[in-house]
Amino acid sequence: MSVEGETAGGARVRIGRNDTCPCGSGRKYKKCCAYRDDPQGLASAAAPADPVPGSAHPDFGAWSMLLQSGRFAELEQAARAWLASHPDSGVIWKFLGAALWSQGKDALPALEQAARALPEDPEAQTNLGNVLRARGRLEEAAARHERALALAPDYAEAHTNLGAVLRDLGRAEEARASYERALSIKPSLAIAHDNLGLILQSLGRFEEARNSHRRAIGIKPDFAAAHHHLGQALLALKCPEDAVMSFRRATLVAPAHLEGLLALGATLLELGRAEEAVVPLRRLVELDPSSAEGWNNLGSAERELGEFQAAAACYRRALDLKPQLAEIHNNLGNALLDIGDLEAAIESYRTAIEHRPGYARALSNLGSAYREIGQLDEAEVSYRAALELEPSQPEVLTNLGIVLRLQSRSREAQVCVHRALEIDPRSPLALTFLGDLKADLGEFEEAERRYREAVAIDPGASQAWAGIASLRKMSEGDAPWLEQTERLVAKRLRPRAEAHLRYAMGKYCDDVGDFDRAFEHYRRANELKRSYRAAHDREHLAATFDFVTRFYDRTWVQRARAAASDSDRPVFVVGMPRSGTTLTEQILAAHPAAFGAGELSFWKLASPRLVAAAVARESEEPLLAMLARDYLDLLARLSADALRVVDKMPANFANLGMIHAALPRARIIHMRRHPIDTCLSIYFQNFHNTHTYSNDLADLAHYYRQYLRVMTHWREVLPAGTMLEVPYEALVEDPETWSRKLLEFVGLPWDSACLEFHRIRRSVTTFSKWQVRQKISRTSVERWRNYEQYVGPLLPLVEAAAGY
């Protein structure tokens, strides 16, 4: 009888009919107890021996049947009863050890007793070796198996068990020799074939390993562990589909095979088959709720399916079990980023980095989270830190380029994306971003070529497909584009990917005049957007603007400040997004003495610092002076010699009091457009997640009213002549008259180049990059009437704007 080591089936007792009878008679078992217990040779498991001794020795044949039928507790009871009168019986101690081992109980004392009582019994020695190995006492275990083999050199199972210990000790070649010796003695030993395969895998000999695992399965088709190990070898041989079949067979043979369930789910996940992966992974965590790896993988599968809340819950369960694992904190951050809980995502990424300081992926993801909340400087730092650790990551280089572009550093952004493409010329992300940069420069044909390269490599590259639609007015000749995007959205896409496509499909339908279908696409796009960005907080917005209008009152704004800058270089273009700010910047930037800086986030980031100083009752003068210097230095870096530099950040409408206090000679241009056209145009664009109001018409109406309230305040408190109000509709109706007014207001002489604004070569990163490279058109005036039946929440804004 033996307690098996590395097997598929656990512990058992084996008594061969030709073996010496364990009763001690010296005769063969078949001629002794086996015959006495069952003269026909058919031991009955249904009628086990009475556990209370009623004869000179136990019924060992019946005990074997108890063990083989899984009735371990009964065997334990019988063995303990006999030991009361036979405490020195090594055979009974062996049976007790096997019963305890099979129940997961501590079998070591019993098997030590057996080995002492039967020093010449090779099975007793190897049984003890197996238990010692399970305890991690590997050198002692090896010694026991070697003792067994000294007693019985052809004992195949002992060679196999020794091989397992040698493998644990890292002595792979010796382990391989042990397994091969076992198989030379007993070629039908499935466990030896399987274990040999594991050793061959550790040696990198995966084809030989595959063959060994297959031999094990050929001998024992229901050998779940061998199916699992074969799957591992097939993965190493880059045969993932075949590996899936092997892992699936392991779980079919043994439905509770935890390793097989985990491997099956993880491999399906790697293959992008998340919908299939969740089945074995859910089964795994049901069977073993303590599997942190199972919860982690299930979270990743749920995330791939767009179930972000469920994914976050899975990652949290995994962290309850293993809070020190940086990978899981990083994964939780990804799910929180998908949900739109950006602050919590940042905290998760930071925790991941605390646990693993050189975790480049978490640093990169932290950069993306900072980018989502508009903290571009912090995003740049994180991306650069990731690149210091792993310089050849095209995705990180591209993401750094995206941040640089948002900071109006287009040349640096181009360097990043070209480096990314040197590393991986087939990176869809880098090719798409290069297309964005080409579109910024007005190189629309080249941009489309890059987008189409990206989708040729990855037909599911949603941003590239969407980019194509942004390059021109679409026509019915672009129907193949629409057919492809329709095929993509018919699949189960992640919300971000589908949102990109829905906005673009809405534009296509709008361009061809199918307004009902267009609005349905836009509605769906905005629903998706709301699912992964922070919720819009109307009360917080109103409270913020309440504070702005109270803090920056007339007295504060008009106070004379000796430390204020007298520079007249800055020109600010403000208003609602989609109100014509890009067009106005383009007209001014066409002047030889002006430079268009794009949308600078400087004053948005500066505002909390000024407020904090005021709350702390610190003098505002030094801070305002410093802000003015820093801002002018920024403009100097962007353009060293332009007389006027245009900052067209629309949201600066909230910061005009601070801006005027620091730069009282700066000119402010306020763009005004029909409120419904403005809001509807915002609703039709895939704005950054920080524009939380942009995805709901009622939220847009509320935001617009707050904007009107703030602009009414500035009209009343800013000194006369500080701000020029420009109606968008008047500008497109009579561009020359209003272009002259703009130049006169900012102190530049007339130049006819301003009427040819669409010809100038400069980087434009806003949604209007295509429109501002066309001649002025009135097609956007009263565009909202195409959607009149859908804009009910916006209609009251017409009267509200009329009172401004």
Side-chain angles (χ1 to χ4, degrees):
M1 65 188 139
S2 68
V3 175
E4 292 190 356
E6 277 206 315
T7 73
R12 64 183 173 89
V13 172
R14 182 192 64 218
I15 304 177
R17 292 180 59 77
N18 290 312
D19 291 346
T20 300
C21 186
C23 73
S25 67
R27 290 179 292 173
K28 289 185 178 182
Y29 177 59
K30 67 182 179 180
K31 297 292 187 181
C32 186
C33 294
Y35 181 80
R36 183 186 64 78
D37 295 336
D38 183 2
Q40 302 303 314
L42 301 171
S44 171
D50 187 338
V52 179
S55 60
H57 57 79
D59 185 347
F60 291 127
W63 283 18
S64 295
M65 295 302 295
L66 283 175
L67 190 59
Q68 292 165 19
S69 61
R71 294 158 67 180
F72 310 126
E74 294 177 52
L75 175 58
E76 178 188 354
Q77 182 183 8
R80 289 191 185 280
W82 274 100
L83 281 170
S85 57
H86 295 74
D88 298 326
S89 171
V91 175
I92 298 175
W93 282 112
K94 284 172 69 175
F95 269 105
L96 177 60
L100 294 169
W101 174 271
S102 299
Q103 294 177 84
K105 295 181 179 180
D106 183 8
L108 181 60
L111 292 175
E112 285 177 328
Q113 288 276 22
R116 280 195 294 269
L118 302 169
E120 303 301 314
D121 183 340
E123 280 188 341
Q125 303 303 317
T126 202
N127 285 352
L128 178 56
N130 288 335
V131 177
L132 289 168
R133 175 183 174 237
R135 292 288 189 92
R137 294 160 61 177
L138 300 179
E139 296 291 351
E140 296 175 70
R144 290 293 175 173
H145 295 312
E146 288 166 351
R147 171 65 179 157
L149 290 168
L151 295 167
D154 290 339
Y155 189 1
E157 286 82 354
H159 282 291
T160 300
N161 293 336
L162 177 59
V165 176
L166 293 170
R167 191 182 77 194
D168 292 347
L169 288 167
R171 293 154 63 180
E173 286 294 349
E174 294 175 68
R176 180 183 60 79
S178 286
Y179 291 136
E180 289 177 348
R181 176 63 179 150
L183 290 169
S184 70
I185 297 166
K186 191 173 182 178
S188 63
L189 195 57
I191 185 66
H193 284 291
D194 188 52
N195 287 351
L196 176 58
L198 288 174
I199 282 293
L200 292 168
Q201 285 198 53
S202 73
L203 295 171
R205 295 159 62 176
F206 297 108
E207 290 188 5
E208 295 173 73
R210 175 191 59 194
N211 295 336
S212 286
H213 297 310
R214 283 177 173 165
R215 289 188 192 103
I217 293 166
I219 296 165
K220 190 175 181 180
D222 63 348
F223 195 168
H227 285 292
H228 173 241
H229 298 149
L230 174 58
Q232 292 176 318
L234 290 166
L235 280 181
L237 290 168
K238 302 189 185 308
C239 302
E241 295 291 349
D242 291 338
V244 164
M245 292 176 64
S246 289
F247 294 140
R248 203 182 295 280
R249 288 192 189 105
T251 61
L252 289 173
V253 168
H257 192 274
L258 302 180
E259 288 183 330
L261 290 166
L262 179 60
L264 176 58
T267 307
L268 288 168
L269 194 57
E270 286 292 321
L271 291 170
R273 292 156 62 180
E275 198 161 1
E276 294 176 67
V278 295
V279 177
L281 292 171
R282 286 173 181 164
R283 173 67 175 155
L284 169 62
V285 297
E286 286 173 7
L287 292 168
D288 183 13
S290 66
S291 173
E293 194 171 359
W295 285 112
N296 183 44
N297 279 279
L298 179 57
S300 297
E302 297 283 14
R303 181 170 176 252
E304 286 298 316
L305 294 174
E307 302 295 339
F308 303 131
Q309 295 285 0
C314 289
Y315 292 136
R316 288 190 174 104
R317 287 291 299 271
L319 288 171
D320 288 341
L321 297 162
K322 292 190 175 179
Q324 77 283 2
L325 284 186
E327 179 189 355
I328 306 175
H329 285 287
N330 178 66
N331 290 345
L332 175 58
N334 292 338
L336 293 168
L337 193 67
D338 292 328
I339 292 167
D341 192 349
L342 302 178
E343 294 296 337
I346 287 171
E347 185 60 30
S348 287
Y349 294 137
R350 285 175 174 165
T351 304
I353 295 163
E354 287 173 8
H355 286 294
R356 193 194 303 174
Y359 196 177
R361 182 174 294 277
L363 281 164
S364 175
N365 290 337
L366 178 60
S368 296
Y370 279 132
R371 189 178 83 202
E372 288 288 322
I373 63 174
Q375 294 186 17
L376 301 182
D377 291 342
E378 290 84 351
E380 179 184 354
V381 169
S382 292
Y383 286 137
R384 291 194 186 280
L387 287 169
E388 284 182 14
L389 294 163
E390 297 181 5
S392 299
Q393 290 295 317
E395 180 181 348
V396 184
L397 281 164
T398 302
N399 284 329
L400 174 59
I402 291 170
V403 166
L404 295 170
R405 173 178 176 248
L406 293 172
Q407 293 174 313
S408 299
R409 295 157 65 184
S410 295
R411 290 181 182 176
E412 294 174 74
Q414 290 178 28
V415 171
C416 285
V417 74
H418 285 300
R419 280 180 57 200
L421 288 169
E422 286 173 5
I423 296 166
D424 182 6
R426 291 176 56 80
S427 166
L429 178 65
L431 287 166
T432 299
F433 181 54
L434 181 57
D436 294 339
L437 292 172
K438 294 297 182 182
D440 292 347
L441 294 169
E443 299 175 12
F444 299 120
E445 290 184 5
E446 178 66 11
E448 181 164 351
R449 187 170 76 84
R450 297 300 185 176
Y451 291 143
R452 292 198 178 277
E453 282 183 41
V455 298
I457 295 166
D458 177 11
S462 59
Q463 287 180 273
W465 284 112
I468 293 170
S470 71
L471 299 176
R472 62 176 183 274
K473 184 170 182 175
M474 303 292 274
S475 69
E476 292 182 356
D478 292 303
W481 175 93
L482 181 64
E483 291 169 3
Q484 177 61 32
T485 54
E486 285 176 337
R487 281 194 292 271
L488 286 174
V489 299
K491 300 177 181 179
R492 187 164 185 175
L493 298 178
R494 297 179 67 186
R496 287 175 190 265
E498 185 178 345
H500 282 300
L501 293 172
R502 292 288 184 180
Y503 281 113
M505 294 165 77
K507 179 185 180 298
Y508 172 93
C509 293
D510 181 85
D511 285 348
V512 301
D514 190 347
F515 302 118
D516 290 336
R517 285 183 67 199
F519 196 83
E520 282 306 307
H521 285 304
Y522 287 132
R523 192 203 310 274
R524 175 61 179 157
N526 283 283
E527 288 172 353
L528 290 163
K529 197 74 182 287
R530 289 198 298 273
S531 74
Y532 61 83
R533 62 134 175 89
H536 180 61
D537 189 337
R538 295 187 193 180
E539 291 184 6
H540 181 264
L541 178 72
T544 299
F545 287 158
D546 283 342
F547 176 83
V548 166
T549 55
R550 286 197 313 270
F551 184 83
Y552 298 107
D553 59 16
R554 185 187 303 275
T555 302
W556 194 95
V557 170
Q558 296 189 2
R559 183 187 309 156
R561 293 175 172 84
S565 171
D566 64 352
S567 174
D568 59 0
R569 285 195 87 202
V571 176
F572 294 91
V573 181
V574 303
M576 285 288 290
R578 308 298 295 167
S579 62
T581 54
T582 302
L583 173 60
T584 300
E585 179 197 28
Q586 189 80 344
I587 290 170
L588 292 171
H591 194 285
F595 175 80
E599 298 181 351
L600 305 180
S601 59
F602 181 93
W603 295 101
K604 175 186 175 182
L605 300 177
S607 179
R609 298 169 62 188
L610 183 63
V611 172
V615 170
R617 299 184 181 278
E618 297 174 359
S619 172
E620 67 198 30
E621 297 280 338
L623 180 56
L624 285 169
M626 183 187 71
L627 291 173
R629 287 194 304 272
D630 290 350
Y631 184 67
L632 292 172
D633 287 346
L634 171 61
L635 299 191
R637 291 195 297 273
L638 295 172
S639 174
D641 53 5
L643 291 178
R644 300 289 181 270
V645 179
V646 183
D647 179 345
K648 61 129 301 192
M649 172 63 78
N652 272 334
F653 77 80
N655 303 314
L656 295 183
M658 174 177 53
I659 289 170
H660 177 73
L663 299 160
R665 296 188 63 196
R667 301 298 88 187
I668 299 167
I669 298 167
H670 174 213
M671 293 302 301
R672 298 178 56 196
R673 184 183 179 190
H674 189 285
I676 304 182
D677 274 336
T678 300
C679 292
L680 201 61
S681 186
I682 293 170
Y683 190 72
F684 288 173
Q685 303 299 326
N686 190 4
F687 269 93
H688 191 280
N689 287 343
T690 53
H691 294 259
T692 57
Y693 60 89
S694 65
N695 308 118
D696 181 271
L697 295 180
D699 286 341
L700 271 162
H702 178 264
Y703 187 91
Y704 193 91
R705 288 180 182 275
Q706 297 300 313
Y707 146 78
L708 282 180
R709 181 161 68 93
V710 173
M711 289 311 303
T712 299
H713 174 73
W714 298 134
R715 178 189 274 186
E716 293 171 355
V717 304
L718 288 175
T722 301
M723 183 166 65
L724 174 68
E725 305 214 39
V726 180
Y728 171 79
E729 292 79 8
L731 175 61
V732 299
E733 180 69 32
D734 189 356
E736 181 171 350
T737 296
W738 279 96
S739 296
R740 288 179 180 273
K741 287 182 180 181
L742 287 167
L743 292 175
E744 180 183 359
F745 177 69
V746 302
L748 293 178
W750 169 249
D751 194 301
S752 59
C754 293
L755 295 179
E756 301 295 317
F757 63 84
H758 53 285
R759 299 184 184 277
I760 66 170
R761 179 180 171 81
R762 59 181 292 267
S763 181
V764 178
T765 61
T766 68
F767 294 116
S768 302
K769 66 182 70 175
W770 181 78
Q771 288 91 334
V772 297
R773 290 193 169 92
Q774 318 305 312
K775 292 184 178 181
I776 281 184
S777 167
R778 297 189 73 259
T779 56
S780 293
V781 176
E782 297 214 337
R783 177 190 182 197
W784 69 272
R785 295 196 179 278
N786 297 323
Y787 300 93
E788 192 164 1
Q789 63 178 311
Y790 302 112
V791 298
L794 303 177
L795 293 174
L797 295 180
V798 178
E799 183 178 350
Y804 169 74

